[in-house]
Amino acid sequence: MERTSVADGASRVMVAATIRRRRFELPLLLLVAVPLFFTAQGLGFLDPDEGLYAGIAQSMVTTGDWVLPRFNGLPYLEKPPLFFWLAGLSLAFDPVSELAVRLWSAIAALGTVVLTWRIGRRLYGPAAGLMAGLALATTVGFALYVRKASTDFVFVFCLTLAVYGFLRDAARPSARKTRFLWFYAGSALALLSKGLIGLVFPVAIVVVALCWVRALRPRDLNLGRGAIVFGALALPWHAMVAWREPGLLWFYLVDNQIFRFLGMRAFVEDDIPVGALTFLVLTFVWFFPWSVFALARPAPSDAPVARWRPLMVVWAAVVLGFFVASRSTLEYYALPAFPALAVMVGAGWASGRDVGRWMIAGVIGCVAVGLTALWAGARLTPAGALAGLAELNVYYRILREQGQPLPFASARPFAVLLQALGAALVIGWIAAALAWARGWHRMAFGAVAASAVTIAILIVQLLYVVEPHHSSAPVSAAIAAMAGPRDVVANEGSLEYSAALPFYTGRRVVVVNGARGDLEIASRRPEARGWFIDDAGFVRRWAEDARVFLVTQRPREQSVVATLPASSVHMLGRYGSRWLYSNRGN
């Protein structure tokens, strides 16, 4: 009896200590992540993409059709609807707001950090969990893409939720009726956020992990109830789209996902994918600075839950391997692997077994790169700036392939940021290495994290530099101030590159010579007639009685404007990278 009492007392002490640690850890995570994720969310939408997603969500609110996504009045089924539903809910309260749309990327990123912390705690202990969450929150990729209105972070959260749900229940008794239901729910939501990979990734991760660990049987997986949960969440929307638009459902499932993976799409995309090696290099960049420590070894453990540690390796390998094999990979597609990599980093730092050797490699490499950045920043040319941007972003690769110059007045702002990056790398990594050498391991971790936060601040400054070129908010404001109810707004070229025009102006936009890329399928539909026109059609529209506003990013001599009677062309101004013309003066 006395022994039992002592054991119970010890157990209560351990539980109390665990609760106290959690009360400290979660506020610290929030203290770091919330400012990093939720600041600078009010930038004008940076096209391509952001305005497109915002316009789809806005269309759901204004039309009341929450089943079939629409952009500029036409069906758009490149992506499933979960992000649009969420953004539509917030736009219902704040109708023309960048924050209302981007908010869900930040919320999903924050949720992913919290789940990563919980996964790290479960597999490797409290210190590893906290370091995993902090590492994930301070990666370069999160700093950049958390300020982008897109489906990516919602998908990353849903995938992480599915893996967490599986891991949490793997050690629970098989008789529990709710066992693994969070895994099935997370998989269904991942499918609704990104398409088929939302199902492929969690299933592949779990199947490979089960083959590796061999700790569960198929009957332990609660497949019957799981199928009900998955079907209840994922099937209704797909069934409704199949009933309303069977042709579009085929496009969404087959052409847009299977053929995209194989590089066999039915139309030519503007996107320029990256090769396998470039993708892996950029994965290192986007997971920086913690990518330096991704292979640091964790401490061994005999705890039963430790058998599931290979799940993290499988998770990262499935995601990265899939996109290495794909023929249509973009630079940020590694984001779904980052929670697993962060857990591995947190485990390595918590053990400290060989962080030192990676610290040596990191300080040598980062000081070399930092000094190079300081040198290159002092000599940066417009061509060099464009080449650097093209390695990091598909839009600038397109400009480079088209032979376009750097679309900014000067390379100087990029040079300043490059030099600041160089200084942050040199100072931050020397500080971290010195702290580690003195045995101040927590301080070394903090120095690396501080360097990462500095880089995040520089990324925000970069977004402010490129905003005037990418955002159509200023030209939209000019149109809204002048246009009457019956006036026509037209955009020359693919509307994706000024996709926020319909969102900001609240008007449907005529597309001149832009029936390509993601909009090509929609342009073939009967209801698109008159909304996609060529030069001749635009000349006729220009000569009609209605006032026409034309937005273009092409110089006058390369634009449809050159085919119009000079006396009828009135330039109303230049707004960033866009010229605004009208067939009438102010």
Side-chain angles (χ1 to χ4, degrees):
M1 181 71 68
E2 184 177 349
R3 290 182 178 178
T4 302
S5 177
V6 171
D8 290 344
S11 177
R12 285 194 293 270
V13 170
M14 292 178 63
V15 170
T18 299
I19 293 174
R20 284 196 298 271
R21 283 195 297 268
R22 287 185 180 180
R23 287 176 178 173
F24 158 75
E25 292 168 6
L26 183 57
L28 179 58
L29 279 177
L30 297 179
L31 183 65
V32 173
V34 169
L36 285 174
F37 294 170
F38 289 88
T39 54
Q41 291 283 0
L43 286 161
F45 286 127
L46 305 181
D47 290 323
D49 291 343
E50 280 205 295
L52 176 72
Y53 296 144
I56 293 171
Q58 184 187 61
S59 175
M60 287 182 168
V61 176
T62 56
T63 65
D65 184 356
W66 294 77
V67 174
L68 192 62
R70 293 179 180 273
F71 173 65
N72 200 34
L74 295 171
Y76 182 91
L77 216 58
E78 285 275 328
K79 299 289 187 295
L82 182 57
F83 177 83
F84 309 135
W85 288 343
L86 295 171
L89 289 175
S90 51
L91 283 173
F93 296 96
D94 195 1
V96 186
S97 166
E98 294 89 357
L99 175 61
V101 181
R102 291 193 180 116
L103 179 67
W104 296 102
S105 289
I107 291 174
L110 185 62
T112 304
V113 167
V114 172
L115 288 175
T116 301
W117 162 60
R118 296 296 300 272
I119 292 171
R121 279 185 119 266
R122 182 173 293 273
L123 289 177
Y124 296 99
L130 179 60
M131 289 179 172
L134 291 172
L136 185 64
T138 53
T139 59
V140 169
F142 268 51
L144 177 59
Y145 292 108
V146 76
R147 290 169 179 82
K148 180 180 179 182
S150 75
T151 60
D152 295 296
F153 272 106
V154 173
F155 169 60
V156 172
F157 170 77
C158 294
L159 176 61
T160 308
L161 176 64
V163 176
Y164 172 75
F166 173 81
L167 181 63
R168 188 193 69 162
D169 290 342
R172 290 189 170 189
S174 59
R176 285 179 178 260
K177 293 182 179 180
T178 60
R179 197 182 190 200
F180 297 120
L181 293 189
W182 277 114
F183 167 75
Y184 295 108
S187 300
L189 294 174
L191 177 65
L192 285 173
S193 63
K194 197 69 174 177
L196 289 178
I197 61 170
L199 177 60
V200 170
F201 281 179
V203 170
I205 290 167
V206 166
V207 168
V208 174
L210 288 173
C211 293
W212 187 330
V213 178
R214 297 184 181 180
L216 295 172
R217 297 163 296 181
R219 67 183 184 184
D220 297 326
L221 299 178
N222 204 6
L223 292 171
R225 292 186 180 89
I228 292 173
V229 169
F230 181 90
L233 291 173
L235 291 183
W237 177 76
H238 288 86
M240 285 187 284
V241 172
W243 176 63
R244 289 178 52 175
E245 295 281 355
L248 281 181
L249 184 67
W250 183 93
F251 163 77
Y252 157 72
L253 289 175
V254 179
D255 185 277
N256 182 45
Q257 298 188 59
I258 297 173
F259 287 176
R260 180 194 292 270
F261 176 83
L262 298 172
M264 298 170 53
R265 299 202 71 179
F267 61 87
V268 178
E269 292 186 287
D270 288 335
D271 288 347
I272 299 176
V274 297
L277 179 60
T278 302
F279 170 70
L280 293 175
V281 171
L282 289 173
T283 298
F284 183 92
V285 171
W286 298 137
F287 194 60
F288 188 82
W290 306 107
S291 46
V292 173
F293 307 101
L295 298 180
R297 293 176 298 167
S301 173
D302 294 329
V305 74
R307 71 171 64 179
W308 292 106
R309 288 180 175 181
L311 185 66
M312 297 300 101
V313 178
V314 171
W315 181 352
V318 165
V319 174
L320 298 180
F322 180 90
F323 288 119
V324 164
S326 173
R327 301 291 298 275
S328 183
T329 298
L330 296 180
E331 57 275 356
Y332 55 88
Y333 280 7
L335 286 173
F338 284 10
L341 294 173
V343 171
M344 294 162 64
V345 167
W349 269 89
S351 75
R353 294 177 69 188
D354 57 357
V355 169
R357 71 178 67 176
W358 294 110
M359 181 68 75
I360 293 172
V363 74
I364 293 173
C366 290
V367 168
V369 171
L371 293 175
T372 302
L374 288 168
W375 176 85
R379 296 162 175 79
L380 190 67
T381 64
L386 178 60
L389 290 169
E391 294 303 320
L392 300 176
N393 184 273
V394 62
Y395 172 75
Y396 296 98
R397 287 200 297 278
I398 294 171
L399 293 183
R400 184 179 62 182
E401 289 293 318
Q402 294 174 347
Q404 299 293 323
L406 179 72
F408 299 94
S410 169
R412 180 60 184 165
F414 301 100
V416 171
L417 291 173
L418 186 59
Q419 290 182 308
L421 173 63
L425 290 174
V426 172
I427 296 171
W429 280 83
I430 288 178
L434 291 175
W436 184 269
R438 294 295 299 270
W440 302 335
H441 293 177
R442 291 183 180 179
M443 187 175 292
F445 184 90
V448 177
S451 173
V453 170
T454 303
I455 295 172
I457 294 171
L458 295 177
I459 287 172
V460 171
Q461 297 305 309
L462 175 64
L463 294 177
Y464 279 107
V465 170
V466 303
E467 180 195 19
H469 176 80
H470 286 273
S471 178
S472 56
V475 72
S476 299
I479 293 171
M482 294 182 285
R486 298 184 179 180
D487 293 347
V488 176
V489 177
N491 179 80
E492 184 175 19
S494 177
L495 188 55
E496 293 173 81
Y497 295 97
S498 292
L501 275 176
F503 178 86
Y504 285 126
T505 63
R507 296 167 179 268
R508 197 171 177 186
V509 175
V510 174
V511 181
V512 184
N513 295 324
R516 58 173 290 113
D518 289 349
L519 302 180
E520 182 178 346
I521 298 298
S523 72
R524 302 173 186 173
R525 296 174 64 91
E527 62 266 38
R529 187 170 302 164
W531 294 101
F532 289 84
I533 58 179
D534 56 14
D535 283 354
F538 183 70
V539 170
R540 290 192 297 269
R541 183 68 64 89
W542 190 261
E544 293 175 355
D545 293 336
R547 186 178 191 183
V548 179
F549 293 91
L550 174 67
V551 178
T552 182
Q553 292 179 287
R554 300 175 183 175
R556 185 164 182 158
E557 63 276 8
Q558 300 174 14
S559 167
V560 66
V561 174
T563 67
L564 301 171
S567 60
S568 69
V569 176
H570 304 272
M571 192 180 82
L572 303 182
R574 185 172 184 181
Y575 302 87
S577 64
R578 296 167 178 84
W579 287 272
L580 178 62
Y581 297 94
S582 178
N583 56 356
R584 299 181 189 174
N586 288 326

